[in-house]
Amino acid sequence: MGLLTAACAAYASLAAWLWLTLAQGMFWRTDVRLPPRTAPAHWPSVAIVVPARDEAEVLPRSLPSLIAQDYPGEAEVILVDDGSTDGTGELARRLAREHPGLPLTVVSPGDPAPGWTGKLWALRHGIAIARTAHSAEPDFLLLTDADIAHEPDSLRELVAAATSADLDLVSQMARLRVVGVWERLVVPAFVYFFAQLYPFRRINRPSARTAAAAGGCVLLRTTAAVRAGVPDRIRQAVIDDVSLARAVQRSGGRIWLGLAERVDSVRPYPALADLWRMVSRSAYAQLRHQPLLLAGTVAGLALVYLVPPAALLAGLATGHPAVAWAGGLAWLLMAGTYLPMLRYYRQSVVLAPLLPFTALLYLLMTVDSAVQHYRGRGAAWKGRTYARPSDA
């Protein structure tokens, strides 16, 4: 019975990898970049809204890049200081004085109203200011996190992509920092797993039913935001970027998501504990706080990522080549589909066979996310804890 169980698990894992490789929207490819674009005849106006809570560590490397945007049209930066205690707001004003460029407005909305997450409350305030501060509303809103640095042509390229392809939402997944040992092991896998859940090519089809965005860099038409009722309609969302994309898509908007080339996160995650908190704070929310979905996810991660090396070693140890071959082929497909992401992050191919270990870490992070939820800590981030949202 043990051998039969091992063989069934190995064959099931191999079948899963064949399906993922061939039928899951080619999720493993990393060539989904901004679509073909040309400069518009008239450059639309843009308001850049930056929610920031205790971001003094990273702001000197990110905010000047926004102020220095080389954009032919009218643009401004609105930084929303979300209850910071480290002088984020004053630092932003000083950086604006030291780095001339786009005008900067620093505002503070106060504590979030009941039923709102902090980031979405800050975005709501920043968007409201952008829409009412001038005689005309901005044509586009660039929603970008305080740890994201943009090359000088970033805004221009985003707007050109949106206007050329008539898109309502254009989002780029910023290249995350990969310096330390744990960042090298965990960060590329984070993006790989995200793309596996939300294949970019599938999202970008005109008739797509899958929706997602990367919250660090989202260019959104103001009319599309109004039509979708965001951020008010998603005010309780912990995973706000996916919720935003779904709201825009469901209201008839066209969305696009891809990898960035010149948009980078400057936030460091030097220790495993830092990466653990990043993942576990929202992992159970991604599963809608459902125990059955948690159990299915744990079982799925084990079957897809842990069974292949276990089957290979068990097959070799017990002299059952069929089990070893099934496990080895599944592991080979896993490592092979991971290679493009490692190349995108300029990392060694040696990390590819280690993906089962990284997946085990993510499995434990997901379980820990559920444990923290049931201990009443919910999705904790920067001194705030969000309990399970009610159905809205």
XYZ file of all heavy atoms in Angstrom, residues 98-145:
360
model
N 14.711 69.766 -1.830
C 16.064 69.428 -2.289
C 16.083 68.903 -3.720
O 17.146 68.923 -4.364
C 16.672 68.382 -1.353
C 16.885 68.877 0.073
C 17.345 67.773 1.003
O 17.396 66.595 0.539
O 17.646 68.058 2.177
N 14.947 68.417 -4.210
C 14.885 67.817 -5.542
C 13.764 68.490 -6.335
O 12.633 67.991 -6.373
C 14.630 66.313 -5.449
C 15.679 65.565 -4.686
N 16.827 65.079 -5.266
C 15.751 65.230 -3.375
C 17.554 64.462 -4.362
N 16.929 64.537 -3.201
N 14.038 69.589 -6.983
C 12.994 70.280 -7.763
C 12.468 69.389 -8.883
O 13.193 68.592 -9.464
C 13.731 71.503 -8.316
C 14.956 71.653 -7.477
C 15.328 70.284 -7.039
N 11.200 69.552 -9.160
C 10.577 68.761 -10.213
C 9.076 68.913 -10.143
O 8.555 70.028 -10.034
N 8.362 67.802 -10.178
C 6.905 67.854 -10.083
C 6.489 68.406 -8.723
O 7.145 68.150 -7.710
C 6.309 66.452 -10.266
C 6.546 65.748 -11.598
C 5.800 64.412 -11.619
C 6.105 66.612 -12.771
N 5.396 69.166 -8.671
C 4.939 69.695 -7.388
C 4.497 68.568 -6.455
O 3.901 67.580 -6.888
C 3.761 70.595 -7.769
C 3.309 70.100 -9.106
C 4.540 69.590 -9.793
N 4.812 68.730 -5.170
C 4.463 67.737 -4.154
C 3.526 68.348 -3.130
O 3.762 69.451 -2.624
C 5.713 67.223 -3.449
C 5.465 66.331 -2.221
C 4.935 64.964 -2.651
C 6.731 66.172 -1.379
N 2.456 67.605 -2.817
C 1.541 67.952 -1.741
C 1.571 66.835 -0.709
O 1.464 65.659 -1.069
C 0.103 68.130 -2.258
O 0.079 69.148 -3.265
C -0.845 68.500 -1.130
N 1.749 67.190 0.552
C 1.743 66.202 1.639
C 0.499 66.439 2.478
O 0.272 67.553 2.970
C 3.000 66.309 2.512
C 2.948 65.287 3.651
C 4.256 66.093 1.665
N -0.317 65.399 2.633
C -1.556 65.509 3.401
C -1.638 64.336 4.371
O -0.930 63.335 4.233
C -2.800 65.513 2.477
C -2.796 66.737 1.584
C -2.837 64.242 1.640
N -2.521 64.464 5.359
C -2.740 63.382 6.321
C -4.232 63.227 6.554
O -4.909 64.197 6.900
C -2.039 63.681 7.642
O -2.260 62.636 8.570
N -4.766 62.015 6.375
C -6.212 61.827 6.516
C -6.666 61.499 7.920
O -7.865 61.379 8.174
C -6.472 60.631 5.597
C -5.218 59.815 5.706
C -4.090 60.811 5.872
N -5.747 61.332 8.860
C -6.144 60.880 10.187
C -6.361 59.381 10.209
O -6.118 58.672 9.228
N -6.799 58.865 11.337
C -6.991 57.423 11.480
C -8.072 56.908 10.530
O -9.041 57.628 10.239
C -7.389 57.078 12.914
C -6.257 57.326 13.906
O -5.088 57.251 13.475
O -6.542 57.599 15.083
N -7.924 55.669 10.057
C -8.934 55.111 9.142
C -10.311 55.043 9.789
O -10.446 54.760 10.985
C -8.398 53.709 8.830
C -6.951 53.749 9.182
C -6.815 54.734 10.298
N -11.329 55.305 9.006
C -12.700 55.131 9.474
C -12.981 53.644 9.669
O -12.313 52.789 9.076
C -13.673 55.731 8.465
N -13.939 53.291 10.502
C -14.263 51.870 10.700
C -14.576 51.184 9.380
O -15.281 51.728 8.524
C -15.502 51.931 11.607
C -15.391 53.230 12.331
C -14.758 54.180 11.354
N -14.025 49.984 9.201
C -14.269 49.220 7.992
C -13.296 49.479 6.876
O -13.444 48.923 5.790
N -12.279 50.306 7.125
C -11.291 50.634 6.107
C -9.922 50.104 6.522
O -9.546 50.188 7.692
C -11.167 52.147 5.915
C -12.279 52.764 5.133
C -13.518 53.119 5.590
C -12.245 53.112 3.742
N -14.258 53.669 4.579
C -13.503 53.686 3.431
C -11.289 53.016 2.739
C -13.819 54.135 2.147
C -11.598 53.468 1.467
C -12.848 54.024 1.180
N -9.163 49.586 5.548
C -7.757 49.329 5.804
C -7.009 50.645 5.652
O -7.460 51.569 4.971
C -7.180 48.302 4.815
O -7.261 48.826 3.481
C -7.934 46.987 4.886
N -5.839 50.724 6.302
C -5.111 51.977 6.314
C -4.692 52.458 4.943
O -4.829 53.636 4.613
N -4.177 51.556 4.108
C -3.699 51.964 2.789
C -4.845 52.476 1.931
O -4.715 53.509 1.256
C -2.997 50.799 2.096
C -2.495 51.147 0.703
C -1.799 49.981 0.030
C -1.359 50.339 -1.386
N -0.685 49.219 -2.078
N -5.972 51.779 1.939
C -7.088 52.219 1.110
C -7.697 53.516 1.629
O -8.184 54.339 0.840
C -8.139 51.110 1.030
C -7.711 49.901 0.193
C -8.704 48.772 0.322
C -7.554 50.304 -1.275
N -7.673 53.711 2.941
C -8.131 54.986 3.502
C -7.229 56.125 3.024
O -7.700 57.202 2.641
C -8.124 54.896 5.022
C -8.548 56.140 5.742
C -7.771 56.960 6.500
C -9.864 56.707 5.794
N -8.504 57.997 7.012
C -9.805 57.858 6.605
C -11.086 56.337 5.239
C -10.912 58.656 6.865
C -12.206 57.131 5.501
C -12.115 58.267 6.299
N -5.927 55.873 3.009
C -4.983 56.880 2.513
C -5.204 57.142 1.029
O -5.192 58.295 0.578
C -3.546 56.417 2.781
N -5.392 56.075 0.243
C -5.641 56.257 -1.187
C -6.929 57.041 -1.421
O -6.998 57.892 -2.316
C -5.712 54.901 -1.884
C -4.384 54.188 -2.120
C -4.623 52.807 -2.731
C -3.475 55.010 -3.033
N -7.951 56.737 -0.650
C -9.225 57.461 -0.799
C -9.018 58.958 -0.599
O -9.523 59.789 -1.366
C -10.238 56.933 0.210
C -11.608 57.617 0.163
C -12.524 57.008 1.222
N -13.875 57.517 1.110
C -14.332 58.583 1.756
N -13.513 59.286 2.553
N -15.587 58.978 1.627
N -8.248 59.300 0.426
C -8.001 60.700 0.721
C -7.173 61.346 -0.392
O -7.484 62.461 -0.855
C -7.266 60.817 2.060
C -7.262 62.190 2.637
N -8.374 62.786 3.191
C -6.267 63.107 2.740
C -8.076 63.999 3.619
N -6.791 64.216 3.361
N -6.128 60.646 -0.838
C -5.281 61.195 -1.893
C -6.022 61.362 -3.203
O -5.852 62.373 -3.908
N -6.860 60.392 -3.555
C -7.635 60.488 -4.795
C -8.640 61.638 -4.714
O -8.841 62.382 -5.687
C -8.342 59.154 -5.081
C -7.303 58.085 -5.440
C -9.359 59.296 -6.214
C -7.878 56.685 -5.539
N -9.260 61.804 -3.552
C -10.215 62.904 -3.383
C -9.529 64.250 -3.562
O -10.067 65.172 -4.206
C -10.874 62.810 -2.009
N -8.329 64.391 -2.997
C -7.578 65.646 -3.158
C -7.249 65.872 -4.630
O -7.377 66.985 -5.158
C -6.273 65.566 -2.342
C -6.630 65.446 -0.870
C -5.366 66.755 -2.656
C -6.406 66.587 -0.009
N -6.810 64.803 -5.307
C -6.441 64.926 -6.719
C -7.619 65.363 -7.571
O -7.458 66.138 -8.524
C -5.888 63.590 -7.224
N -8.811 64.889 -7.235
C -9.982 65.163 -8.059
C -10.593 66.529 -7.777
O -11.385 67.030 -8.594
C -11.032 64.078 -7.833
C -10.613 62.691 -8.317
C -11.729 61.693 -8.116
N -12.919 62.090 -8.860
C -14.136 61.598 -8.629
N -14.328 60.718 -7.657
N -15.157 62.009 -9.355
N -10.257 67.129 -6.632
C -10.929 68.380 -6.262
C -9.978 69.575 -6.153
O -10.446 70.707 -6.012
C -11.657 68.218 -4.914
O -10.710 67.831 -3.901
C -12.734 67.142 -5.019
N -8.665 69.327 -6.204
C -7.717 70.413 -5.969
C -7.638 71.388 -7.131
O -7.219 72.533 -6.953
C -6.333 69.835 -5.679
N -8.035 70.948 -8.317
C -7.921 71.809 -9.498
C -9.276 71.922 -10.188
O -10.235 71.234 -9.841
C -6.864 71.251 -10.450
C -5.536 71.009 -9.794
N -4.695 72.037 -9.413
C -4.909 69.849 -9.434
C -3.612 71.533 -8.866
N -3.712 70.210 -8.852
N -9.332 72.762 -11.170
C -10.599 72.997 -11.875
C -11.051 71.766 -12.653
O -12.242 71.567 -12.874
C -10.456 74.186 -12.835
O -9.398 73.957 -13.761
N -10.102 70.929 -13.065
C -10.438 69.716 -13.810
C -9.798 68.505 -13.145
O -8.688 68.588 -12.602
C -9.962 69.826 -15.264
N -10.507 67.385 -13.174
C -9.959 66.156 -12.620
C -8.783 65.670 -13.462
O -8.749 65.892 -14.679
C -11.028 65.048 -12.600
C -12.147 65.275 -11.627
C -13.069 64.066 -11.570
O -13.021 63.223 -12.481
O -13.836 63.960 -10.591
N -7.812 64.997 -12.834
C -6.743 64.402 -13.634
C -7.299 63.269 -14.494
O -8.245 62.579 -14.103
C -5.758 63.879 -12.581
C -6.601 63.640 -11.367
C -7.660 64.718 -11.395
N -6.728 63.079 -15.649
C -7.177 61.998 -16.527
C -6.781 60.633 -15.979
O -7.508 59.657 -16.142
C -6.575 62.180 -17.929
C -7.012 63.491 -18.563
O -8.224 63.676 -18.738
O -6.133 64.316 -18.873
N -5.619 60.580 -15.338
C -5.113 59.314 -14.803
C -4.648 59.505 -13.366
O -4.268 60.610 -12.954
C -3.923 58.791 -15.631
C -4.315 58.147 -16.931
C -4.362 58.901 -18.094
C -4.621 56.792 -16.996
C -4.696 58.317 -19.302
C -4.971 56.205 -18.194
C -5.009 56.962 -19.353
N -4.664 58.385 -12.634
C -4.101 58.321 -11.291
C -2.997 57.265 -11.301
O -3.221 56.136 -11.735
C -5.170 57.918 -10.270
C -6.417 58.804 -10.182
C -7.554 58.047 -9.484
C -6.098 60.099 -9.447
N -1.809 57.637 -10.856
C -0.761 56.645 -10.661
C -0.695 56.335 -9.179
O -0.311 57.190 -8.375
C 0.597 57.151 -11.163
C 1.779 56.206 -10.894
C 1.567 54.847 -11.556
C 3.094 56.834 -11.354
N -1.100 55.133 -8.809
C -1.075 54.689 -7.420
C 0.205 53.883 -7.233
O 0.367 52.814 -7.830
C -2.312 53.834 -7.120
C -3.653 54.396 -7.610
C -4.796 53.443 -7.265
C -3.911 55.784 -7.028
N 1.101 54.396 -6.433
C 2.395 53.736 -6.270
C 2.811 53.761 -4.811
O 2.538 54.731 -4.090
C 3.462 54.395 -7.160
O 4.696 53.671 -7.067
C 3.690 55.847 -6.784
N 3.454 52.697 -4.358
C 3.843 52.587 -2.957
C 5.070 53.444 -2.666
O 5.848 53.789 -3.565
C 4.135 51.133 -2.595
C 2.871 50.283 -2.549
O 1.767 50.871 -2.501
O 2.985 49.044 -2.549
